[in-house]
Amino acid sequence: MMDNTVRRYTVVIYSENQIGVLTQVANVFTRRSLNIWSLSAGASAIEGVHIITIVTDAVEKRVLESVKQLEKRVDVMKVFYYTEDQVVYRELALYKVPTGKILESGNIEDILQRYNAKIIEINSTFAVISKVGTTDETQNLYDDLNKFGVMQFQRAGRIVVSRERQEPLREFLRERGTGK
């Protein structure tokens, strides 16, 4: 039974790698007035199949309608949607901070260790710090680093794996007799 509670959903779209698929997928969300909170796209573990991962806040009924519309597309193989507790996810965040200020502070090593973050480039002007984690973890690190004056910040779209035992698309393909 679906309710009218707004929740965060992760929609995972398996498709062929065709020009314009991402635009068409985004248009489905736009037509349904669903805001895309996060988006990532890339190759899957299955050769020739790509994954588009979209995070949106909505009521389940609107997400399900979008899923059904997306599955009508010829170049979309299958679409799954998940609640937060049904997936394991991570985001990549990069932070550019002034080198002088972090060196003067004397506690940058403690901050990096606390957040399991790494300096991936450093020069006399700035240091670039990398963090892989949840949205809250990357935001909390931003808040701590902003004491030094974050010069630039970028967080990549969410990538996910379901908590299911088997890759959902593999199971779907196996059931259809086209398993890879």
Side-chain angles (χ1 to χ4, degrees):
M1 171 102 188
M2 287 187 239
D3 63 23
N4 288 327
T5 305
V6 174
R7 290 190 174 88
R8 178 151 294 164
Y9 289 95
T10 301
V11 179
V12 180
I13 303 151
Y14 291 89
S15 72
E16 298 173 14
N17 186 20
Q18 300 291 327
I19 294 172
V21 171
L22 189 56
T23 301
Q24 293 168 16
V25 165
N27 285 339
V28 168
F29 279 77
T30 301
R31 281 194 301 273
R32 299 212 175 272
S33 297
L34 293 172
N35 184 46
I36 295 175
W37 181 83
S38 169
L39 185 145
S40 67
S44 77
I46 301 170
E47 188 176 333
V49 177
H50 279 65
I51 301 175
I52 300 168
T53 304
I54 294 178
V55 179
T56 189
D57 294 333
V59 296
E60 185 176 16
K61 179 181 178 189
R62 297 211 19 235
V63 173
L64 184 57
E65 290 169 350
S66 298
V67 165
K68 288 178 180 176
Q69 177 132 20
L70 288 166
E71 286 187 330
K72 291 178 183 177
R73 305 235 19 102
V74 172
D75 38 17
V76 171
M77 301 171 81
K78 185 69 179 157
V79 182
F80 299 94
Y81 72 100
Y82 303 98
T83 58
E84 292 286 275
D85 62 328
Q86 294 174 314
V87 294
V88 176
Y89 81 91
R90 291 296 179 263
E91 300 168 355
L92 167 65
L94 297 177
Y95 314 78
K96 183 163 66 171
V97 293
T99 303
K101 288 187 179 181
I102 62 170
L103 292 177
E104 289 169 11
S105 77
N107 70 340
I108 190 63
E109 288 181 30
D110 293 337
I111 292 171
L112 296 176
Q113 197 168 37
R114 184 172 350 127
Y115 289 100
N116 197 25
K118 296 179 174 122
I119 294 176
I120 58 173
E121 184 173 324
I122 190 164
N123 61 41
S124 60
T125 308
F126 63 84
V128 177
I129 297 170
S130 170
K131 165 74 182 143
V132 173
T134 65
T135 306
D136 288 343
E137 292 169 347
T138 58
Q139 185 61 48
N140 290 341
L141 177 56
Y142 173 85
D143 294 341
D144 276 359
L145 290 175
N146 206 26
K147 297 169 188 164
F148 307 113
V150 173
M151 301 162 69
Q152 232 178 321
F153 171 68
Q154 175 95 23
R155 184 169 33 220
R158 176 183 289 197
I159 59 170
V160 301
V161 292
S162 72
R163 293 188 186 274
E164 299 170 69
R165 181 177 171 90
Q166 178 71 28
E167 164 103 36
L169 183 64
R170 285 192 196 278
E171 183 68 21
F172 170 75
L173 293 173
R174 189 177 56 71
E175 288 172 3
R176 289 187 60 205
T178 58
K180 293 190 177 198

